[in-house]
Every structure is written in C-alpha cells, then in structure tokens.
Amino acid sequence: MKVLFLEDALPTARAGDIRDVKNGFARNYLIPRGVAVLATEHQLRRAEKLRAEAEERRLRELNEWRDIAKELTENPVELTVRTGPTGRLYGSVTSAMIAARLTELTGRQIERKRVRMQEQIRMVGSYPLPVRFMDEIDATITLSVISDDIVEGEEEETTTDQYAVTDEILASGEIDMHSWEEPQAVDALGLIAGRILARNISQFRIIHGKGEGTLRQAVRDRLNAMKTEGTVIIWGPGRTDGDTDADSLEAVSWFTVS
C-alpha cells in the first residue's frame, strides 16, 4: 500500500515521503495514528509542503542538538553513585543511568542506545564518553562519577558482627540473612554484588527465610532494582537457576552479576 507520511517515522520515512508499506502496518498503525494517509492524488499535493516543513524542522533540531552537544562537551556531566570507602561502586554505571542523567540535564529524551560505553565504569573518576545525540551529531562528553559521601557510615552499619559480610561468606557463594533487618539486608546486597565481582564470583545465593515474607519481598525488590540498574544480569528464587521448588523448605534467592 502506498502512503504519504504526514510525520517523521524514523527510520522508515520522513514527513512528505511517499512509501510502499505493508497493508497491515498502514491500516493498523500508521493511518489510525495520523502518521500517514493513503497516497491519493489529493493527498499527494501536500507532499512538497510537508517535505519542506520537515526539512525546516530537521535543520532546527540539528542546530538545537549541536548547541546541547557543545554545552555538554564543555562542562563535565556529574553522576552521583553509591560507593564504598575505596571509591569502588556497588555495581557499575550503566548506559541507562547515563541516559537518564542526560535526559534530566537537557530536558530531552535521550535513549540508552545513544550512549556508546567503551568500558565498564566501577570506580569514581572522570571518563570520556561518546554519545550520538542524532544520526549526524556525535560528541564526546566527560562523565564525572562522584560518591554520594554517605555510604561509609552505611557500610559500617552492615559490617557489624550481626550483619558482617566476611570473606568466608563471599567465598562460600551464600549468605544467611533470615534473621537480618530489612534495611541492613537491602544495603548489603549492593556491597555483596561489588565484592563478588572483584573475586570473579558470578552467582550468589541469599537465604532470607519465609516468616511473614517482608524480608523476602524486600530482598527480591532490591534484586529487581539492581537488575534495572544493570548491576544484576538475572535473578530468581531458589539456590540455582534450575531450582523449581525454591520456597518449599527455606526461602532462597540467587542472582548473577555482570
């Protein structure tokens, strides 16, 4: 089906373009949403005007993005993260975190795929970072990763006798948290993720007990958040990824770090 695009629908077409598309795509998506219309003789008279308006809009957006890119390259982009006393992050900085920060600073939506990370960032410091703001605009910004300055006290809280995360525990690949309080357990998960990564331990287990289920839920909510952040690749109930009877005797969760 031949249609005339009324709006940009990248990468398929720009406003004013005439394209042959699948009937279903046109009838179920493009036309109902007002993105395109059937390329009738009447509608085709609009094509030249639409193309001119689209080109004017594209040039205006290019100039705006050039100004944004210039501003960001001249001033470091600060990202505040949780760290241990050595400056090592609990996990790593992800492209999603950087894209969210750039979106916040610019007021424009910047997708994570636009951030071209060339190395994993696990320490505070400054890092050159290529970003493709538009197909024609590339820039290298300076990402300044800084500590939130409050974790040292938190880590001391999680490393008291009751809440200690010792080398022996890390080496065992498992920690028993069933008698822990929720805040200490949640804080310790980030600490554990960073420490097992440094020891090349990919998978770890948390015994959190069933009880009323509040600690179990808090742990699993934190694992979900760590997965969103990119610290955890995958997690699930049980002692391993093959455990299908995870909560029959004791509530356990496992996770794998990046």
Side-chain angles (χ1 to χ4, degrees):
M1 179 181 293
K2 186 171 288 187
V3 298
L4 168 66
F5 280 83
L6 304 179
E7 301 177 2
D8 290 346
L10 301 177
T12 304
R14 291 190 177 275
D17 288 347
I18 302 164
R19 295 281 188 271
D20 280 316
V21 299
K22 293 182 179 180
N23 290 353
F25 183 45
R27 295 189 183 281
N28 298 327
Y29 181 80
L30 295 176
I31 294 175
R33 293 173 180 261
V35 178
V37 294
L38 288 174
T40 63
E41 183 177 349
H42 169 70
Q43 294 291 353
L44 290 177
R45 296 193 191 103
R46 305 170 61 189
E48 189 60 36
K49 181 182 178 182
L50 287 169
R51 276 194 289 268
E53 291 174 348
E55 181 63 16
E56 181 181 349
R57 184 169 58 252
R58 188 182 73 85
L59 291 175
R60 184 170 62 251
E61 290 177 353
L62 277 173
N63 288 331
E64 290 173 353
W65 276 113
R66 285 194 183 99
D67 290 342
I68 291 171
K70 183 174 184 293
E71 178 72 18
L72 290 173
T73 56
E74 292 176 350
N75 299 282
V77 174
E78 293 187 350
L79 182 66
T80 303
V81 296
R82 297 182 70 242
T83 66
T86 63
R88 185 174 179 82
L89 279 62
Y90 292 157
S92 63
V93 172
T94 66
S95 58
M97 294 166 62
I98 299 168
R101 179 59 175 153
L102 291 174
T103 297
E104 178 185 1
L105 289 172
T106 63
R108 293 169 177 253
Q109 185 63 41
I110 297 178
E111 299 177 352
R112 59 185 299 177
K113 66 181 180 181
R114 297 286 183 179
V115 179
R116 308 299 176 88
M117 294 190 68
Q118 298 176 326
E119 60 178 319
Q120 290 188 324
I121 298 175
R122 303 187 185 281
M123 293 286 293
V124 296
S126 295
Y127 300 86
L129 190 68
V131 180
R132 169 158 286 190
F133 294 100
M134 289 185 66
D135 289 343
E136 301 173 50
I137 300 179
D138 293 284
T140 299
I141 67 172
T142 299
L143 180 69
S144 180
V145 181
I146 59 178
S147 172
D148 61 6
D149 291 329
I150 64 172
V151 178
E152 184 173 356
E154 292 180 347
E155 181 171 337
E156 289 173 357
E157 183 180 12
T158 62
T159 54
T160 60
D161 290 342
Q162 182 181 354
Y163 304 118
V165 180
T166 65
D167 289 339
E168 290 76 11
I169 288 174
L170 296 173
S172 73
E174 181 175 275
I175 188 170
D176 187 344
M177 291 184 172
H178 77 272
S179 62
W180 285 36
E181 298 293 331
E182 292 172 45
Q184 285 79 9
V186 169
D187 285 345
L189 288 175
L191 174 65
I192 292 170
R195 288 185 174 177
I196 66 171
L197 188 64
R199 291 166 170 77
N200 294 319
I201 303 170
S202 61
Q203 194 170 106
F204 200 84
R205 294 180 296 277
I206 308 104
I207 300 173
H208 39 65
K210 293 165 74 170
E212 297 179 354
T214 54
L215 177 61
R216 172 178 54 182
Q217 192 58 50
V219 167
R220 292 178 176 178
D221 286 347
R222 178 57 179 150
L223 290 174
N224 266 329
M226 290 167 70
K227 183 178 178 183
T228 300
E229 295 165 1
T231 304
V232 167
I233 297 177
I234 191 171
W235 76 273
R239 304 184 72 83
T240 68
D241 53 6
D243 189 350
T244 58
D245 193 23
D247 291 342
S248 59
L249 298 177
E250 59 181 356
V252 182
S253 294
W254 60 269
F255 67 92
T256 301
V257 293
S258 56

